[in-house]
Amino acid sequence: MLTQFMSLVDLPPVLSRPPGAGSCLETLGAGRPLLVVVNDQLMNNHQLELARALHSQGHLHYCTCSNLTETLRTVDLSALVPFLPGQPQTFAVFLDRAVGLQ
């Protein structure tokens, strides 16, 4: 399954369903434009929360099944902002200092 997904990451744009954190971050980390289709029927919808947050930062576009056709007609993937990889070492140093290990 992961191998199949990773082969899709190489194809811009990537349409991701379901838009879990892992698949979104892998796709964005690969530098690919991303349009996610969120399931708007979920309670406590973490998919929508993540999509909104990444959209507000300009990294992806999102839609629901009900507006997918219109979104595909109007979306401008060229305007997306590249997603820069995290800096785990910087965070580790911060955390060490915060808990008094350094």
Side-chain angles (χ1 to χ4, degrees):
M1 175 87 163
L2 181 59
T3 304
Q4 291 172 335
F5 174 75
M6 290 311 293
S7 68
L8 291 176
V9 171
D10 294 331
L11 302 172
V14 172
L15 191 60
S16 173
R17 191 183 145 249
S23 55
C24 286
L25 295 178
E26 287 289 333
T27 304
L28 294 173
R32 298 298 177 205
L34 182 59
L35 169 65
V36 295
V37 181
V38 297
N39 180 351
D40 58 353
Q41 302 301 311
L42 296 176
M43 292 177 60
N44 302 319
N45 198 337
H46 65 281
Q47 292 180 357
L48 184 56
E49 290 175 19
L50 178 62
R52 282 181 176 156
L54 291 171
H55 176 75
S56 72
Q57 297 170 15
H59 299 304
L60 59 75
H61 291 287
Y62 72 95
C63 64
T64 63
C65 290
S66 62
N67 65 355
L68 175 59
T69 303
E70 180 63 25
T71 301
L72 288 172
R73 274 194 285 255
T74 60
V75 71
D76 180 9
L77 296 173
S78 68
L80 293 174
V81 176
F83 183 79
L84 301 176
Q87 299 177 338
Q89 186 59 36
T90 302
F91 178 70
V93 169
F94 165 80
L95 193 56
D96 285 349
R97 288 184 182 146
V99 298
L101 297 175
Q102 187 180 39

Coordinates of all heavy atoms in Angstrom, one line a residue:
M1 N 0.8 -1.2 0.0 CA 0.0 0.0 0.0 C 0.9 1.3 0.0 O 0.6 2.2 -0.8 CB -0.9 0.0 1.2 CG -1.7 1.2 1.4 SD -3.2 1.1 0.4 CE -4.2 2.3 1.2
L2 N 1.9 1.3 0.9 CA 2.7 2.5 0.9 C 3.5 2.6 -0.4 O 3.6 3.7 -0.9 CB 3.7 2.4 2.1 CG 4.7 3.6 2.3 CD1 3.9 4.9 2.5 CD2 5.6 3.4 3.5
T3 N 4.0 1.5 -0.9 CA 4.7 1.6 -2.2 C 3.8 2.2 -3.3 O 4.2 3.0 -4.1 CB 5.2 0.2 -2.6 OG1 6.0 -0.3 -1.6 CG2 6.0 0.2 -3.9
Q4 N 2.5 1.7 -3.3 CA 1.6 2.3 -4.3 C 1.4 3.8 -4.1 O 1.4 4.5 -5.1 CB 0.2 1.6 -4.2 CG 0.3 0.1 -4.6 CD -1.1 -0.6 -4.3 OE1 -1.8 -0.2 -3.4 NE2 -1.4 -1.6 -5.1
F5 N 1.2 4.2 -2.9 CA 1.0 5.6 -2.6 C 2.3 6.4 -3.0 O 2.2 7.4 -3.6 CB 0.7 5.8 -1.1 CG 0.7 7.3 -0.8 CD1 -0.4 8.1 -1.2 CD2 1.7 7.9 -0.2 CE1 -0.5 9.4 -0.9 CE2 1.7 9.3 0.1 CZ 0.6 10.0 -0.3
M6 N 3.5 5.9 -2.6 CA 4.7 6.6 -3.0 C 4.9 6.7 -4.5 O 5.4 7.7 -4.9 CB 5.9 6.0 -2.3 CG 5.9 6.1 -0.8 SD 5.6 7.8 -0.2 CE 7.1 8.6 -0.7
S7 N 4.4 5.8 -5.3 CA 4.5 5.9 -6.7 C 3.6 7.0 -7.2 O 3.9 7.7 -8.2 CB 4.2 4.6 -7.4 OG 2.8 4.3 -7.2
L8 N 2.5 7.3 -6.5 CA 1.6 8.4 -6.9 C 2.2 9.7 -6.5 O 1.9 10.7 -7.2 CB 0.3 8.2 -6.2 CG -0.6 7.1 -6.7 CD1 -1.9 7.1 -5.8 CD2 -1.0 7.2 -8.1
V9 N 3.1 9.8 -5.5 CA 3.7 11.0 -5.1 C 4.5 11.6 -6.2 O 4.6 12.8 -6.3 CB 4.5 10.8 -3.8 CG1 5.4 12.0 -3.5 CG2 3.6 10.5 -2.6
D10 N 5.0 10.8 -7.1 CA 5.8 11.3 -8.2 C 5.0 11.9 -9.3 O 5.6 12.4 -10.3 CB 6.7 10.1 -8.8 CG 7.7 9.7 -7.7 OD1 8.2 10.5 -6.9 OD2 8.1 8.5 -7.8
L11 N 3.7 11.9 -9.2 CA 2.9 12.4 -10.3 C 2.1 13.7 -9.9 O 1.2 13.6 -9.0 CB 1.8 11.3 -10.7 CG 2.3 10.0 -11.2 CD1 1.2 9.0 -11.3 CD2 3.1 10.1 -12.4
P12 N 2.5 14.9 -10.4 CA 1.8 16.0 -10.0 C 0.5 16.2 -10.9 O 0.6 15.8 -12.0 CB 2.7 17.2 -10.3 CG 3.7 16.7 -11.3 CD 3.7 15.2 -11.2
P13 N -0.6 16.8 -10.4 CA -0.9 16.9 -9.0 C -1.3 15.6 -8.4 O -1.8 14.7 -9.1 CB -2.0 17.9 -9.0 CG -2.7 17.7 -10.3 CD -1.6 17.3 -11.3
V14 N -1.2 15.5 -7.1 CA -1.6 14.3 -6.4 C -3.0 14.6 -5.8 O -3.2 15.6 -5.1 CB -0.6 13.9 -5.3 CG1 -1.1 12.8 -4.5 CG2 0.7 13.5 -6.0
L15 N -3.9 13.7 -6.0 CA -5.2 13.7 -5.4 C -5.2 12.7 -4.3 O -5.0 11.5 -4.6 CB -6.3 13.4 -6.4 CG -7.7 13.7 -6.1 CD1 -7.9 15.2 -5.8 CD2 -8.6 13.3 -7.3
S16 N -5.3 13.1 -3.1 CA -5.2 12.2 -1.9 C -6.5 12.0 -1.2 O -7.2 13.0 -0.8 CB -4.2 12.9 -0.9 OG -4.1 12.1 0.2
R17 N -6.8 10.7 -1.0 CA -8.0 10.4 -0.3 C -7.8 9.1 0.5 O -7.4 8.1 -0.2 CB -9.2 10.3 -1.2 CG -10.5 10.2 -0.4 CD -11.7 10.0 -1.4 NE -12.6 9.1 -0.7 CZ -12.9 7.9 -1.0 NH1 -12.3 7.3 -2.0 NH2 -13.7 7.2 -0.2
P18 N -7.9 9.0 1.7 CA -8.2 10.1 2.7 C -7.0 10.9 3.0 O -5.9 10.4 2.9 CB -8.6 9.3 3.9 CG -7.9 8.1 3.9 CD -7.8 7.7 2.4
P19 N -7.2 12.2 3.3 CA -6.1 13.1 3.5 C -5.5 13.0 5.0 O -5.6 14.0 5.7 CB -6.7 14.5 3.2 CG -8.1 14.3 3.6 CD -8.5 12.9 3.3
G20 N -5.0 11.9 5.3 CA -4.4 11.8 6.6 C -3.1 12.6 6.7 O -2.5 13.0 5.7
A21 N -2.6 12.8 7.9 CA -1.4 13.6 8.1 C -0.2 13.0 7.4 O 0.6 13.7 6.7 CB -1.1 13.8 9.6
G22 N 0.0 11.7 7.5 CA 1.1 11.1 6.8 C 1.1 11.3 5.3 O 2.1 11.6 4.8
S23 N 0.0 11.0 4.7 CA 0.0 11.1 3.2 C 0.1 12.6 2.8 O 0.8 12.9 1.8 CB -1.3 10.5 2.6 OG -2.4 11.0 3.2
C24 N -0.5 13.5 3.5 CA -0.3 14.9 3.2 C 1.2 15.4 3.3 O 1.7 16.0 2.4 CB -1.1 15.8 4.1 SG -2.9 15.8 3.7
L25 N 1.8 15.0 4.4 CA 3.2 15.5 4.7 C 4.2 14.8 3.7 O 5.1 15.4 3.3 CB 3.6 15.2 6.1 CG 2.8 16.1 7.1 CD1 3.2 15.7 8.6 CD2 2.9 17.6 6.9
E26 N 3.9 13.5 3.4 CA 4.8 12.8 2.4 C 4.7 13.5 1.1 O 5.7 13.7 0.4 CB 4.4 11.3 2.3 CG 4.8 10.5 3.5 CD 6.3 10.3 3.6 OE1 7.0 10.3 2.6 OE2 6.8 10.1 4.7
T27 N 3.5 13.8 0.6 CA 3.3 14.4 -0.7 C 3.9 15.8 -0.7 O 4.6 16.2 -1.6 CB 1.8 14.5 -1.0 OG1 1.3 13.1 -1.0 CG2 1.6 15.0 -2.4
L28 N 3.6 16.6 0.3 CA 4.2 18.0 0.3 C 5.7 17.9 0.5 O 6.4 18.8 -0.1 CB 3.5 18.8 1.5 CG 2.0 19.0 1.4 CD1 1.5 19.7 2.6 CD2 1.8 19.9 0.1
G29 N 6.2 17.0 1.3 CA 7.6 16.9 1.4 C 8.3 16.5 0.2 O 9.5 16.8 0.0
A30 N 7.6 15.8 -0.7 CA 8.2 15.5 -2.0 C 8.1 16.6 -3.0 O 8.5 16.5 -4.2 CB 7.5 14.2 -2.6
G31 N 7.5 17.7 -2.6 CA 7.5 18.9 -3.4 C 6.4 18.9 -4.5 O 6.5 19.6 -5.5
R32 N 5.4 18.1 -4.2 CA 4.3 17.9 -5.2 C 3.1 18.8 -4.8 O 2.8 18.9 -3.7 CB 3.9 16.5 -5.3 CG 4.9 15.6 -5.8 CD 5.4 15.9 -7.1 NE 6.5 15.1 -7.6 CZ 7.3 15.4 -8.5 NH1 7.3 16.6 -9.0 NH2 8.3 14.6 -8.8
P33 N 2.4 19.4 -5.8 CA 1.2 20.1 -5.6 C 0.1 19.1 -5.0 O 0.1 18.0 -5.5 CB 0.8 20.7 -6.9 CG 1.7 20.1 -7.9 CD 2.8 19.4 -7.2
L34 N -0.7 19.6 -4.2 CA -1.6 18.7 -3.5 C -3.0 19.3 -3.4 O -3.2 20.4 -3.0 CB -1.1 18.3 -2.1 CG -1.9 17.4 -1.3 CD1 -2.1 16.0 -2.0 CD2 -1.3 17.2 0.1
L35 N -4.0 18.5 -3.8 CA -5.4 18.8 -3.6 C -6.0 17.6 -2.9 O -5.9 16.5 -3.3 CB -6.1 18.9 -5.0 CG -7.6 19.0 -4.9 CD1 -8.1 20.3 -4.2 CD2 -8.2 18.9 -6.3
V36 N -6.5 17.9 -1.7 CA -7.0 16.8 -0.9 C -8.6 16.9 -0.9 O -9.1 18.0 -0.9 CB -6.5 16.8 0.6 CG1 -5.0 16.5 0.6 CG2 -6.8 18.1 1.3
V37 N -9.2 15.8 -0.8 CA -10.6 15.7 -0.8 C -11.0 15.2 0.6 O -10.8 14.0 0.9 CB -11.2 14.7 -1.9 CG1 -12.7 14.7 -1.8 CG2 -10.7 15.1 -3.2
V38 N -11.5 16.1 1.4 CA -11.8 15.7 2.8 C -13.2 15.1 2.9 O -14.1 15.5 2.1 CB -11.7 16.9 3.8 CG1 -10.3 17.5 3.8 CG2 -12.7 18.0 3.4
N39 N -13.4 14.2 3.9 CA -14.6 13.6 4.1 C -15.4 14.5 5.1 O -15.0 14.6 6.3 CB -14.4 12.2 4.8 CG -15.7 11.5 5.1 OD1 -16.8 12.1 5.1 ND2 -15.6 10.3 5.4
D40 N -16.3 15.3 4.6 CA -17.0 16.3 5.5 C -18.1 15.6 6.4 O -18.8 16.3 7.1 CB -17.6 17.4 4.7 CG -18.5 17.0 3.6 OD1 -18.7 15.7 3.4 OD2 -19.2 17.8 3.0
Q41 N -18.2 14.3 6.4 CA -19.2 13.6 7.2 C -18.6 13.1 8.5 O -19.3 12.6 9.4 CB -19.7 12.4 6.4 CG -20.4 12.8 5.1 CD -21.5 13.7 5.3 OE1 -22.4 13.5 6.1 NE2 -21.5 14.8 4.5
L42 N -17.3 13.3 8.7 CA -16.6 12.9 10.0 C -16.9 13.8 11.1 O -17.0 15.0 11.0 CB -15.1 12.8 9.8 CG -14.6 11.8 8.8 CD1 -13.1 12.0 8.7 CD2 -15.0 10.4 9.1
M43 N -17.1 13.2 12.3 CA -17.2 13.9 13.5 C -15.8 14.3 14.0 O -14.9 13.5 13.8 CB -17.9 13.1 14.6 CG -19.4 12.9 14.3 SD -20.2 11.9 15.5 CE -20.0 12.8 17.0
N44 N -15.6 15.4 14.7 CA -14.3 15.8 15.1 C -13.3 15.7 14.0 O -12.3 15.0 14.0 CB -13.8 15.0 16.3 CG -14.8 15.1 17.5 OD1 -15.3 16.2 17.8 ND2 -15.1 14.0 18.1
N45 N -13.6 16.4 12.9 CA -12.9 16.1 11.6 C -11.5 16.6 11.6 O -11.2 17.8 11.2 CB -13.7 16.8 10.5 CG -13.4 16.3 9.2 OD1 -12.3 15.8 8.9 ND2 -14.3 16.4 8.2
H46 N -10.5 15.8 11.9 CA -9.1 16.1 11.9 C -8.6 16.3 10.5 O -7.7 17.1 10.2 CB -8.3 15.0 12.6 CG -8.3 13.7 11.9 ND1 -9.4 12.8 12.0 CD2 -7.5 13.1 11.1 CE1 -9.2 11.8 11.3 NE2 -8.0 11.9 10.7
Q47 N -9.3 15.6 9.5 CA -8.9 15.8 8.1 C -9.1 17.3 7.7 O -8.3 17.9 7.1 CB -9.7 14.9 7.2 CG -9.4 13.4 7.3 CD -10.2 12.6 6.3 OE1 -11.1 13.1 5.6 NE2 -10.0 11.3 6.4
L48 N -10.3 17.8 8.0 CA -10.6 19.1 7.7 C -9.7 20.1 8.4 O -9.3 21.1 7.8 CB -12.1 19.4 8.0 CG -12.6 20.8 7.6 CD1 -12.4 21.0 6.1 CD2 -14.1 20.9 7.9
E49 N -9.4 19.9 9.7 CA -8.6 20.8 10.5 C -7.2 20.9 9.8 O -6.6 21.9 9.7 CB -8.4 20.3 11.9 CG -9.7 20.4 12.7 CD -9.5 19.8 14.1 OE1 -8.4 19.5 14.5 OE2 -10.5 19.5 14.7
L50 N -6.6 19.7 9.5 CA -5.3 19.7 8.8 C -5.3 20.4 7.5 O -4.4 21.2 7.2 CB -4.8 18.3 8.7 CG -3.4 18.1 8.0 CD1 -2.3 18.8 8.8 CD2 -3.1 16.6 7.8
A51 N -6.3 20.1 6.7 CA -6.4 20.7 5.3 C -6.6 22.2 5.5 O -5.9 22.9 4.7 CB -7.6 20.1 4.6
R52 N -7.4 22.7 6.4 CA -7.5 24.1 6.6 C -6.2 24.8 7.0 O -5.9 25.8 6.5 CB -8.6 24.4 7.6 CG -10.0 24.3 7.1 CD -11.0 24.6 8.2 NE -12.4 24.6 7.6 CZ -13.4 24.4 8.4 NH1 -13.3 24.3 9.7 NH2 -14.6 24.4 7.8
A53 N -5.5 24.1 7.9 CA -4.3 24.7 8.4 C -3.2 24.8 7.3 O -2.6 25.8 7.1 CB -3.7 23.9 9.6
L54 N -3.1 23.7 6.5 CA -2.1 23.7 5.4 C -2.5 24.6 4.3 O -1.7 25.2 3.6 CB -1.8 22.3 5.0 CG -1.1 21.4 6.0 CD1 -1.1 19.9 5.5 CD2 0.3 21.9 6.2
H55 N -3.8 24.7 4.1 CA -4.3 25.6 3.0 C -4.1 27.1 3.5 O -3.7 27.9 2.6 CB -5.8 25.4 2.8 CG -6.4 26.4 1.8 ND1 -6.2 26.3 0.5 CD2 -7.2 27.4 2.0 CE1 -6.8 27.3 -0.1 NE2 -7.5 28.0 0.8
S56 N -4.3 27.4 4.7 CA -4.1 28.8 5.2 C -2.6 29.2 5.1 O -2.4 30.4 4.9 CB -4.6 29.0 6.6 OG -3.7 28.3 7.5
Q57 N -1.7 28.3 5.1 CA -0.3 28.5 4.9 C 0.1 28.5 3.4 O 1.3 28.7 3.1 CB 0.5 27.5 5.7 CG 0.3 27.7 7.2 CD 0.9 26.5 7.9 OE1 1.8 25.8 7.4 NE2 0.5 26.3 9.2
G58 N -0.9 28.2 2.5 CA -0.6 28.2 1.1 C 0.0 26.9 0.5 O 0.4 26.9 -0.6
H59 N 0.0 25.8 1.3 CA 0.7 24.6 0.9 C -0.2 23.6 0.1 O 0.4 22.8 -0.7 CB 1.2 23.8 2.1 CG 2.2 24.6 2.9 ND1 3.4 25.1 2.3 CD2 2.3 24.9 4.2 CE1 4.1 25.8 3.3 NE2 3.4 25.7 4.4
L60 N -1.5 23.7 0.2 CA -2.4 22.8 -0.5 C -3.7 23.4 -0.7 O -4.0 24.5 -0.1 CB -2.5 21.4 0.2 CG -3.1 21.4 1.6 CD1 -4.6 21.6 1.7 CD2 -2.7 20.0 2.2
H61 N -4.5 22.8 -1.6 CA -5.9 23.2 -1.8 C -6.7 22.0 -1.3 O -6.2 20.8 -1.3 CB -6.2 23.4 -3.2 CG -5.6 24.7 -3.7 ND1 -6.1 25.9 -3.4 CD2 -4.6 24.9 -4.6 CE1 -5.3 26.9 -4.0 NE2 -4.4 26.2 -4.7
Y62 N -7.9 22.2 -0.8 CA -8.8 21.2 -0.4 C -10.2 21.4 -0.8 O -10.6 22.5 -1.2 CB -8.7 21.0 1.1 CG -9.4 22.0 1.9 CD1 -10.7 21.9 2.4 CD2 -8.7 23.2 2.3 CE1 -11.3 22.9 3.1 CE2 -9.3 24.2 3.0 CZ -10.6 24.0 3.4 OH -11.2 25.0 4.2
C63 N -11.0 20.3 -0.9 CA -12.4 20.4 -1.2 C -13.1 19.2 -0.6 O -12.5 18.4 0.1 CB -12.6 20.4 -2.7 SG -12.0 18.9 -3.5
T64 N -14.4 19.1 -0.8 CA -15.1 18.0 -0.4 C -15.6 17.3 -1.7 O -15.5 17.8 -2.8 CB -16.3 18.4 0.4 OG1 -17.2 19.2 -0.3 CG2 -15.9 19.1 1.7
C65 N -16.2 16.2 -1.6 CA -16.8 15.5 -2.7 C -17.8 16.3 -3.4 O -17.9 16.3 -4.7 CB -17.4 14.1 -2.3 SG -16.2 12.9 -1.8
S66 N -18.6 17.1 -2.7 CA -19.7 17.9 -3.3 C -19.2 19.0 -4.1 O -19.9 19.4 -5.1 CB -20.6 18.4 -2.2 OG -19.9 19.3 -1.3
N67 N -18.0 19.5 -3.9 CA -17.5 20.6 -4.7 C -16.2 20.2 -5.5 O -15.4 21.1 -6.0 CB -17.3 21.9 -3.9 CG -16.2 21.8 -2.9 OD1 -15.7 20.7 -2.6 ND2 -16.0 22.9 -2.2
L68 N -15.9 18.9 -5.6 CA -14.7 18.5 -6.3 C -14.6 18.9 -7.7 O -13.6 19.4 -8.2 CB -14.6 16.9 -6.2 CG -13.4 16.3 -6.9 CD1 -12.1 16.8 -6.5 CD2 -13.5 14.8 -6.8
T69 N -15.7 18.7 -8.5 CA -15.7 19.1 -9.9 C -15.4 20.5 -10.1 O -14.6 20.9 -10.9 CB -17.1 18.7 -10.5 OG1 -17.4 17.3 -10.3 CG2 -17.1 19.0 -12.0
E70 N -16.1 21.4 -9.4 CA -15.9 22.8 -9.5 C -14.4 23.2 -9.1 O -13.8 24.0 -9.7 CB -16.8 23.6 -8.6 CG -16.7 25.1 -8.7 CD -16.9 25.7 -10.1 OE1 -17.6 25.1 -10.9 OE2 -16.3 26.8 -10.4
T71 N -13.9 22.6 -8.0 CA -12.5 22.8 -7.6 C -11.5 22.4 -8.7 O -10.6 23.2 -8.9 CB -12.3 22.1 -6.3 OG1 -13.2 22.5 -5.3 CG2 -10.8 22.3 -5.8
L72 N -11.8 21.3 -9.3 CA -10.8 20.8 -10.4 C -10.9 21.8 -11.5 O -9.8 22.0 -12.2 CB -11.2 19.4 -10.8 CG -10.9 18.3 -9.9 CD1 -11.5 17.0 -10.4 CD2 -9.4 18.2 -9.6
R73 N -12.0 22.4 -11.8 CA -12.1 23.4 -12.9 C -11.4 24.7 -12.6 O -10.9 25.4 -13.5 CB -13.5 23.7 -13.2 CG -14.2 22.8 -14.1 CD -15.5 23.4 -14.6 NE -16.5 23.3 -13.6 CZ -17.5 22.4 -13.6 NH1 -17.7 21.6 -14.6 NH2 -18.4 22.4 -12.7
T74 N -11.3 25.1 -11.3 CA -10.9 26.4 -10.9 C -9.6 26.5 -10.2 O -9.0 27.6 -10.0 CB -11.9 27.2 -10.1 OG1 -12.2 26.4 -8.9 CG2 -13.2 27.3 -10.9
V75 N -9.1 25.4 -9.6 CA -7.9 25.4 -8.7 C -6.7 25.8 -9.5 O -6.5 25.5 -10.7 CB -7.7 24.0 -8.1 CG1 -7.3 23.0 -9.0 CG2 -6.8 24.1 -6.9
D76 N -5.8 26.6 -8.9 CA -4.5 27.0 -9.4 C -3.4 26.4 -8.6 O -3.0 27.0 -7.6 CB -4.4 28.6 -9.4 CG -3.1 29.1 -10.0 OD1 -2.3 28.2 -10.6 OD2 -2.9 30.3 -9.9
L77 N -2.9 25.3 -9.0 CA -1.9 24.6 -8.2 C -0.5 25.3 -8.3 O 0.3 25.1 -7.5 CB -1.8 23.2 -8.7 CG -3.0 22.3 -8.4 CD1 -2.9 20.9 -9.0 CD2 -3.3 22.2 -6.9
S78 N -0.4 26.2 -9.3 CA 0.9 26.8 -9.5 C 1.1 27.9 -8.4 O 2.3 28.4 -8.2 CB 1.0 27.5 -10.9 OG 0.1 28.5 -11.0
A79 N 0.1 28.3 -7.7 CA 0.2 29.4 -6.7 C 0.6 28.8 -5.3 O 0.7 29.6 -4.4 CB -1.1 30.1 -6.6
L80 N 0.7 27.5 -5.2 CA 1.0 26.9 -3.9 C 2.4 27.3 -3.4 O 3.4 27.4 -4.2 CB 0.8 25.4 -4.0 CG -0.6 24.9 -4.2 CD1 -0.6 23.4 -4.3 CD2 -1.5 25.4 -3.0
V81 N 2.6 27.4 -2.1 CA 3.9 27.7 -1.5 C 4.6 26.3 -1.1 O 3.9 25.5 -0.6 CB 3.6 28.5 -0.2 CG1 4.9 28.7 0.6 CG2 2.9 29.8 -0.5
P82 N 5.8 26.2 -1.5 CA 6.5 24.9 -1.2 C 6.5 24.7 0.4 O 6.6 25.6 1.2 CB 8.0 25.2 -1.6 CG 7.9 26.3 -2.7 CD 6.7 27.1 -2.2
F83 N 6.4 23.4 0.7 CA 6.4 23.0 2.1 C 7.8 22.6 2.5 O 8.4 21.7 1.9 CB 5.5 21.8 2.2 CG 5.3 21.3 3.6 CD1 4.5 21.9 4.5 CD2 6.0 20.1 4.1 CE1 4.4 21.4 5.8 CE2 5.9 19.7 5.4 CZ 5.1 20.3 6.2
L84 N 8.4 23.4 3.4 CA 9.7 23.1 3.8 C 9.8 22.0 4.8 O 9.0 22.0 5.7 CB 10.4 24.4 4.3 CG 10.4 25.6 3.3 CD1 11.0 26.8 4.0 CD2 11.2 25.2 2.1
P85 N 10.8 21.2 4.7 CA 10.9 20.1 5.7 C 11.2 20.6 7.1 O 11.7 21.7 7.3 CB 12.1 19.2 5.2 CG 12.9 20.1 4.3 CD 11.9 21.1 3.8
G86 N 10.7 19.9 8.1 CA 10.9 20.2 9.5 C 12.4 20.2 9.9 O 13.2 19.7 9.1
Q87 N 12.7 20.7 11.0 CA 14.1 20.6 11.5 C 14.1 19.9 12.9 O 14.0 20.5 13.9 CB 14.6 22.0 11.7 CG 14.7 22.8 10.4 CD 15.2 24.2 10.6 OE1 15.1 24.8 11.7 NE2 15.7 24.8 9.5
P88 N 14.1 18.6 12.8 CA 14.0 17.8 14.0 C 15.1 18.0 15.0 O 14.9 18.0 16.2 CB 13.9 16.3 13.6 CG 14.4 16.3 12.2 CD 14.2 17.7 11.6
Q89 N 16.3 18.3 14.6 CA 17.4 18.6 15.5 C 17.1 19.9 16.3 O 17.4 19.9 17.5 CB 18.7 18.7 14.7 CG 19.9 18.8 15.6 CD 20.0 17.6 16.6 OE1 19.7 16.5 16.3 NE2 20.5 17.9 17.8
T90 N 16.6 20.9 15.6 CA 16.3 22.1 16.3 C 15.2 21.9 17.4 O 15.4 22.4 18.5 CB 15.8 23.2 15.3 OG1 16.8 23.4 14.3 CG2 15.5 24.5 16.0
F91 N 14.2 21.1 17.0 CA 13.2 20.8 18.0 C 13.7 20.0 19.2 O 13.4 20.2 20.3 CB 12.0 20.1 17.3 CG 10.9 19.7 18.3 CD1 10.1 20.7 18.9 CD2 10.8 18.4 18.7 CE1 9.1 20.4 19.8 CE2 9.8 18.1 19.6 CZ 9.0 19.0 20.1
A92 N 14.6 19.1 18.9 CA 15.2 18.2 19.9 C 16.0 19.1 20.9 O 15.9 18.9 22.1 CB 16.1 17.1 19.3
V93 N 16.8 20.0 20.4 CA 17.5 20.9 21.3 C 16.6 21.8 22.1 O 16.8 21.9 23.4 CB 18.5 21.9 20.5 CG1 19.1 23.0 21.3 CG2 19.6 21.0 19.8
F94 N 15.5 22.3 21.5 CA 14.5 23.1 22.3 C 13.9 22.2 23.4 O 13.8 22.7 24.5 CB 13.4 23.6 21.3 CG 12.2 24.1 22.1 CD1 12.2 25.3 22.6 CD2 11.1 23.3 22.2 CE1 11.1 25.8 23.3 CE2 10.0 23.7 22.8 CZ 10.0 24.9 23.4
L95 N 13.5 21.0 23.1 CA 12.9 20.1 24.0 C 13.8 19.8 25.2 O 13.4 19.8 26.3 CB 12.4 18.9 23.3 CG 11.4 18.0 24.1 CD1 10.2 18.8 24.6 CD2 11.0 16.8 23.3
D96 N 15.1 19.5 24.8 CA 16.1 19.2 25.9 C 16.2 20.3 26.8 O 16.3 20.1 28.0 CB 17.4 18.9 25.2 CG 17.5 17.5 24.6 OD1 16.6 16.7 24.8 OD2 18.5 17.2 23.9
R97 N 16.3 21.6 26.3 CA 16.4 22.7 27.2 C 15.1 22.9 28.0 O 15.2 23.3 29.2 CB 16.6 24.0 26.3 CG 18.0 24.0 25.8 CD 18.3 25.3 25.0 NE 19.7 25.3 24.5 CZ 20.0 25.8 23.3 NH1 19.1 26.5 22.6 NH2 21.2 25.8 22.9
A98 N 14.0 22.7 27.4 CA 12.7 22.9 28.1 C 12.5 22.0 29.3 O 12.0 22.4 30.3 CB 11.5 22.7 27.1
V99 N 13.1 20.8 29.2 CA 12.9 19.8 30.3 C 14.2 19.7 31.1 O 14.3 18.9 32.0 CB 12.5 18.4 29.8 CG1 11.2 18.4 29.1 CG2 13.6 17.8 28.9
G100 N 15.1 20.6 30.9 CA 16.3 20.7 31.7 C 17.4 19.7 31.4 O 18.2 19.4 32.3
L101 N 17.4 19.1 30.3 CA 18.5 18.1 30.0 C 19.7 18.7 29.4 O 20.7 18.1 29.2 CB 17.9 17.0 29.0 CG 16.8 16.2 29.5 CD1 16.3 15.2 28.4 CD2 17.3 15.4 30.7
Q102 N 19.6 20.0 29.1 CA 20.8 20.7 28.5 C 20.9 22.1 29.0 O 20.0 22.8 29.3 CB 20.6 20.7 26.9 CG 21.8 21.2 26.2 CD 21.6 21.2 24.7 OE1 20.5 21.6 24.3 NE2 22.6 20.9 24.0

